[in-house]
Amino acid sequence: MQSHETVPYSLPPVSDDEAIARARALRDRLKERRSCRYFSDAPVPREVIEAAIEAAGSAPNGANHQPWHFAVVSSPATKRAIREAAEAEERAFYAGKASDEWLDALAPLGTDDDKPFLETAPWLIVVFAQRKGGIDEDGKTQNYYVNESVGIACGMLIATLHEAGCATLTHTPSPMGFLREICGRPEHEKPLMIVVVGRPAEGATVPAHALKKKPLSQIASWL
Ligand code: IYR
């Protein structure tokens, strides 16, 4: 085996009771998160976005290649360009590209091809998955477990934004190759999602369907 350097690792001790209390407290915070589709134009400090991206950048990932890029959009002109391109894709999706089964599945969410939040929200974080690049981002080195790595990073990004009091929406226009062009990203990067970030609009609602969560007994088995 190739020799490798190590550094010590430990965590502060925590009693069982404290561990349970902390896990439940964070669970309760995270369970308050909703996918928000009605954003106000109230600003959110850039520092919040920076900290959340740094949190995302600490995610476990394949071979520590950190195969992600976060293109942060606040310029009204760029947000408009993204909205226009996304809505064009969504019109095709809702007007026939999507199967009836898919549209039926979306009906309880009430989504449609109108995406004003792409212009209203102060920040759009366009998440790219780097198929190649390695830790030095050379554009050539193979990356591993790219979707898994970037998916985990997105979870940590959203959790941090939620903790900062932000509303978020993971938006996935399909196909979304146009995001590479608008954000000026290279061919070996695949746009994965837009994380819309802001504050909920006054009077914002979420679909009641979103509150139906599978219970622990259904989502876990113990062997
Ligand atoms: N991208 C479309 C459709 C859509 C698909 C799924 I799966 C959702 O959970 C929500 C929406 C849209 O954004 O409307």
Side-chain angles (χ1 to χ4, degrees), residues 2 8 10 33 61 69 77 99 120 128-129 145 209 216:
Q2 204 182 321
S10 67
R33 189 206 55 79
N61 66 89
H69 182 86
S99 64
T120 319
F128 290 87
Y145 299 106
H209 178 71
L216 179 64

Side-chain angles (χ1 to χ4, degrees), residues 65-69 128-144 146 185-190:
H65 286 189
Q66 303 157 65
W68 39 61
H69 182 86
F128 290 87
Q130 299 176 323
R131 287 184 277 243
K132 292 184 181 299
I135 195 162
D136 295 324
E137 306 224 352
D138 62 12
K140 293 196 293 274
T141 302
Q142 183 62 47
N143 288 336
Y144 306 97
V146 171
R185 300 307 302 171
E187 194 59 36
H188 63 271
E189 291 189 1
K190 179 178 75 163

Side-chain angles (χ1 to χ4, degrees), residues 37 90 93-94 102 106 109 111-113 115 171-174:
R37 293 183 178 82
E90 299 292 359
F93 175 87
Y94 285 99
W102 195 346
L106 291 179
L109 300 180
T111 54
D112 60 23
D113 55 17
K115 306 296 180 191
H171 178 50
T172 50
S174 161

